[in-house]
């Protein structure tokens, strides 16, 4: 079944601090493009000849190489938009994990530092191997995403996420992002 792009218009109209409607609209358009490409790739893979895969070039191999780009590009964006909303409600369980990691300010400072390695994504996760909070940097959409993680905060650090409002000032965008985190959503992910 084809994937359908979600609507995040509720984030517009001043719901977020420091992210304009123009910035958000362009980001929504880009996200929808990933959904379209994911559908296209999955549809082609459903019927393609997989008997001659090849490192240099083969249509099946090329689709397989790009499948994760479109998949992660789609759903990292959904998690990004869904953890925006400027809500300070942190569950007791998440607070305990944040405290164990040195406190919310320290964790966010590390997430911000992580995002400075962009373009790509900075993630706050609960690592299922050690049960602790970790930050990771994912290049593009698909390079460096570690296994066995519960994604808690997903931060888009590609230029398209902030150029309209901030030009090349990535740190200013990251500061705005931190002010817009929907902690109730992060808590929900932590508890899930
Ligand atoms: Fe993005």
């Amino acid at each position: 079944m084809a994937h359908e792009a979600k609507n995040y218009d509720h984030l517009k109209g001043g719901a977020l601090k420091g992210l304009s409607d123009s910035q958000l609209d362009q980001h929504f358009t880009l996200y929808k493009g990933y959904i379209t490409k994911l559908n296209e790739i999955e549809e082609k893979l459903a019927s393609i000849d997989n008997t001659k895969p090849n490192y240099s070039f083969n249509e099946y191999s090329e689709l397989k190489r790009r499948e994760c780009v479109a998949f992660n590009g789609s759903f990292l964006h959904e998690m990004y938009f869904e953890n925006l909303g400027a809500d300070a409600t942190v569950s007791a369980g998440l607070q305990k994990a944040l405290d164990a990691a040195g406190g919310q300010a320290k964790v966010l400072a590390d997430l911000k530092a992580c995002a400075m390695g962009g373009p790509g994504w900075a993630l706050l996760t609960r690592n299922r191997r050690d049960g602790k909070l970790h930050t990771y940097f994912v290049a593009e959409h698909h390079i460096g995403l570690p296994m066995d993680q519960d994604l808690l905060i997903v931060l888009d650090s590609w230029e398209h996420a902030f150029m309209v409002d901030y030009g090349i000032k990535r740190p200013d965008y990251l500061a705005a992002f931190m002010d817009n985190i929907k902690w109730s959503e992060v808590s929900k992910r932590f508890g899930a």
Side-chain angles (χ1 to χ4, degrees), residues 27 30 34 77 80-81 121 141 156 158 160-161:
H27 209 169
L30 194 139
Y34 284 111
H77 273 110
Y80 168 75
F81 294 131
W121 297 83
H141 301 308
D156 192 336
W158 286 65
H160 66 245

Side-chain angles (χ1 to χ4, degrees), residues 2-6 28-42 69-71 73-75 77-78:
H3 302 280
E4 278 188 39
K6 294 185 183 177
F28 296 156
T29 300
L30 194 139
Y31 147 68
K32 286 169 188 160
Y34 284 111
I35 298 279
T36 301
K37 280 292 164 190
L38 177 60
N39 286 331
E40 188 181 331
I41 289 170
E42 288 187 350
V69 174
F71 185 88
S74 295
F75 300 116
H77 273 110
E78 291 189 357

Side-chain angles (χ1 to χ4, degrees), residues 16-20 23-24 27 76-77 79-81 83-84 111-112 114-116 118-122 153-181:
L16 301 177
K17 291 171 264 180
L19 287 171
S20 69
Q23 175 69 72
L24 290 166
H27 209 169
L76 285 171
H77 273 110
M79 294 193 77
Y80 168 75
F81 294 131
N83 63 207
L84 288 172
L111 187 66
K112 189 173 173 183
C114 199
M116 287 299 293
W121 297 83
I153 297 179
V154 173
L155 165 50
D156 192 336
S157 193
W158 286 65
E159 275 78 3
H160 66 245
F162 62 86
M163 284 290 283
V164 175
D165 287 340
Y166 294 96
I168 60 169
K169 293 177 183 162
R170 192 189 305 268
D172 292 358
Y173 157 69
L174 295 174
F177 175 85
M178 300 303 166
D179 289 339
N180 283 306
I181 294 173

Side-chain angles (χ1 to χ4, degrees), residues 36-112:
T36 301
K37 280 292 164 190
L38 177 60
N39 286 331
E40 188 181 331
I41 289 170
E42 288 187 350
E43 195 182 313
K44 285 187 174 173
L45 281 171
S47 59
I48 201 164
D49 174 8
N50 67 354
T51 60
K52 295 184 183 66
N54 186 276
Y55 168 71
S56 294
F57 177 74
N58 167 268
E59 286 181 355
Y60 166 82
S61 298
E62 201 56 32
L63 286 166
K64 275 292 169 197
R65 280 191 280 265
R66 301 305 289 176
E67 185 179 14
C68 278
V69 174
F71 185 88
N72 288 359
S74 295
F75 300 116
L76 285 171
H77 273 110
E78 291 189 357
M79 294 193 77
Y80 168 75
F81 294 131
E82 285 163 20
N83 63 207
L84 288 172
D87 158 349
T89 310
V90 179
S91 69
L94 177 59
Q95 189 61 56
K96 201 175 159 193
L98 288 166
D99 290 344
Q104 186 173 333
K106 183 170 183 284
V107 169
L108 291 187
D110 192 58
L111 187 66
K112 189 173 173 183

